[in-house]
Amino acid sequence: MATSAFEQGPDYVQSLARGLRVLSVFGHELSSPSLSEVAERSGLSRAAARRSLLTLQHLGYVGSRGRSFFLTPRVLELGYSYLSSLDLSELAQQAMEQLSQRVQESCSLAVLDGADVVYVLRVPVRRIMRIALGVGARLPAFTASLGRVILADFDDEDLDAWIKGIEFRAYTAHTVRNAAELKRALKRVRVQGYALTSQELELGLCSIAVPVRAGNGRVVAGLNVSMQFSEQAAERAVGEILPALQQTRDAIEGAIRQGQWMPHLHMKYARD
């Protein structure tokens, strides 16, 4: 991991950074890691990982069972603090519920955080993915329609910087494979005003998304509808779902302009 100039300065709190790196190790694929696994995944020495884990355990964010560690419900306070700071109005939730009922599909609102999109609101209808999605769930932005409508708003310099920090992984045979393919896909998004992805993250899944803009015109979030793949899915997505999706987006943007919803959702990109 490259060391930035800031990390060499007096304002950088190394112990805090280590604690956050330890917390980021926990997830669906590794819910109860051992000390060795935490050290390996975080890039810390065993001694540093142990100190961080014991401190987090003392503070109530981590528990232990034998040689394994696990997150406690107190960690949710950190996520809820972020969601509370967004000042999401009831209008956004209600508009998304109406959209979901209208098209009989799940819809989600997400922001960009580093290489991923993070779900901040979701109205599920039925589960069509193997991955469990909910508020706080993360998906690789380059494969997701939600990510592409946000990335399409980046200028060339910012997009190139963002691409340098990600790994192109082939989740399916349909996943974009490199920067050139992603840039072509984003160019289509800019022209069309929406992103349509089909079976790039998981077979049998497709989705369509539109950008949500703040009053200054910058994209702060993505709004999408996801559905099961079929030969008619793309036609239905553009002909039937897109107009309803755009109406919902317009309602949410109206709330932003009226100051009911704070436009500080967009976490552009993070460099290690």
Side-chain angles (χ1 to χ4, degrees):
M1 183 177 296
T3 301
S4 69
F6 178 77
E7 292 175 14
Q8 300 294 327
D11 294 325
Y12 183 74
V13 183
Q14 189 177 67
S15 57
L16 174 60
R18 287 174 174 174
L20 293 174
R21 282 165 64 181
V22 166
L23 284 177
S24 69
V25 167
F26 295 84
H28 180 70
E29 296 180 355
L30 195 64
S31 58
S32 299
S34 65
L35 172 59
S36 297
E37 289 173 322
V38 171
E40 179 182 358
R41 293 291 185 95
S42 65
L44 300 174
S45 66
R46 283 176 58 91
R50 178 178 178 275
R51 288 195 297 271
S52 293
L53 284 167
L54 292 179
T55 300
L56 290 167
Q57 185 173 13
H58 173 72
L59 295 173
Y61 293 106
V62 168
S64 63
R65 187 181 298 110
R67 296 185 176 181
S68 299
F69 295 87
F70 57 89
L71 297 180
T72 70
R74 188 169 188 179
V75 172
L76 293 173
E77 295 176 1
L78 303 176
Y80 287 138
S81 295
Y82 168 70
L83 291 175
S84 297
S85 73
L86 297 181
D87 191 26
L88 292 170
S89 70
E90 292 184 3
L91 186 149
Q93 180 74 34
Q94 293 172 355
M96 290 173 62
E97 289 175 353
Q98 292 171 2
L99 170 63
S100 182
Q101 292 172 5
R102 178 175 173 182
V103 301
Q104 288 299 296
E105 303 287 359
S106 301
C107 65
S108 307
L109 186 75
V111 298
L112 187 69
D113 183 20
D116 301 325
V117 287
V118 181
Y119 284 67
V120 295
L121 277 179
R122 179 164 168 79
V123 180
V125 171
R126 58 183 181 275
R127 184 173 175 179
I128 60 176
M129 295 183 69
R130 291 192 298 270
I131 302 171
L133 292 179
V135 172
R138 307 175 76 94
L139 293 178
F142 80 95
T143 67
S145 61
L146 287 164
R148 290 187 187 171
V149 292
I150 301 174
L151 293 172
D153 192 50
F154 279 25
D155 60 29
D156 291 342
E157 182 181 355
D158 285 343
L159 181 60
D160 287 339
W162 185 86
I163 288 174
K164 287 180 181 178
I166 70 166
E167 176 184 356
F168 285 94
R169 173 183 168 187
Y171 292 90
T172 75
H174 306 281
T175 308
V176 295
R177 295 168 292 182
N178 52 52
E181 289 188 5
L182 177 60
K183 287 182 177 180
R184 285 196 291 270
L186 295 179
K187 185 176 180 179
R188 289 194 296 272
V189 174
R190 295 185 188 105
V191 172
Q192 297 171 161
Y194 65 87
L196 179 65
T197 58
S198 181
Q199 304 193 98
E200 291 199 36
L201 181 62
E202 185 175 302
L203 293 177
L205 173 72
C206 58
S207 65
I208 186 168
V210 293
V212 178
R213 299 180 182 275
N216 61 4
R218 295 306 305 270
V219 174
V220 293
L223 177 71
N224 89 337
V225 168
S226 54
M227 66 211 85
Q228 288 183 324
F229 172 79
S230 69
E231 294 298 328
Q232 296 77 35
E235 181 179 354
R236 176 178 176 240
V238 176
E240 175 186 338
I241 294 177
L242 179 59
L245 191 60
Q246 291 169 328
Q247 289 178 8
T248 304
R249 182 268 313 279
D250 293 345
I252 293 174
E253 288 184 344
I256 294 176
R257 289 191 296 272
Q258 294 170 20
Q260 299 173 28
W261 187 36
M262 298 300 291
H264 57 278
L265 289 168
H266 183 22
M267 295 177 284
K268 204 169 189 182
Y269 60 86
R271 293 174 178 168
D272 291 331

